[in-house]
Amino acid sequence: MPYDLIVIGSGPGGYVCAIRAAQLGMKVAVVEKENTFGGTCLNIGCIPSKALLHASELYEEAGNYLDKMGIKVGDPKLDLPAMMKFKDAGVEGNVKGVAFLFKKNKVDTFHGTGRIAAPGRVEVKAADGKTETIEGKAIVIATGSDVARCCFFAPPQSY
């Protein structure tokens, strides 16, 4: 059965697009190359960085400012494994939230690398090498923030 919309990528652009299209009555599929939804932002970029930054700021505040405000807590001690667990819990909550919204809004999901094979056709190659082709009236490329590597880079000249 062809889809009204196929979204390649499930980062903040892709998942918002897919969910809203489904809410508007479209039959939607999302193709995601990673095992979890949310793209770079939710998995390894913005959200985990902000969680660690928040914890670091609180550590700094506890060690340098609370005493000046009359709050006695003693010298803070860093427990990096616990901080990483805090970060991981935040990431997991966001990723599971996107998966829940896909399910709630009846968005079909495909894990694998998406490639536009022809107009209205997306080939999905799974990690095990198996491929399947899905069809749709429209395709949105929401592949996000991967770095574009270029072979034309020249090292700086020394003068």
Side-chain angles (χ1 to χ4, degrees), residues 4-159:
D4 295 313
L5 177 65
I6 300 169
V7 179
I8 302 174
S10 73
Y15 74 74
V16 171
C17 174
I19 292 166
R20 187 64 184 134
Q23 290 170 342
L24 293 171
M26 297 176 89
K27 181 163 177 54
V28 181
V30 168
V31 178
E32 173 55 51
K33 69 179 178 179
E34 301 298 336
N35 293 329
T36 56
F37 301 117
T40 297
C41 182
L42 267 61
N43 287 280
I44 60 172
C46 309
I47 298 303
S49 296
K50 288 178 181 180
L52 292 173
L53 182 61
H54 176 65
S56 299
E57 288 170 343
L58 291 176
Y59 176 81
E60 171 74 8
E61 198 169 305
N64 296 311
Y65 301 108
L66 293 180
D67 190 52
K68 294 175 185 172
M69 296 188 306
I71 302 169
K72 307 293 183 197
V73 294
D75 290 332
K77 291 176 181 51
L78 181 64
D79 181 349
L80 190 56
M83 187 184 285
M84 297 304 283
K85 188 175 180 181
F86 166 76
K87 181 256 316 172
D88 291 341
V91 169
E92 182 180 4
N94 279 282
V95 167
K96 285 183 175 179
V98 172
F100 169 79
L101 289 172
F102 282 163
K103 187 174 183 177
K104 176 184 175 192
N105 290 286
K106 298 181 176 105
V107 174
D108 292 339
T109 58
F110 297 83
H111 283 281
T113 302
R115 180 181 77 83
I116 299 174
R121 296 172 60 93
V122 174
E123 182 182 271
V124 182
K125 184 175 183 179
D128 64 5
K130 292 182 182 175
T131 62
E132 67 179 304
T133 301
I134 55 177
E135 296 182 16
K137 296 175 187 171
I139 300 169
V140 171
I141 302 170
T143 53
S145 64
D146 272 351
V147 176
R149 294 176 186 9
C150 179
C151 57
F152 301 110
F153 176 78
Q157 301 278 333
S158 40
Y159 296 102

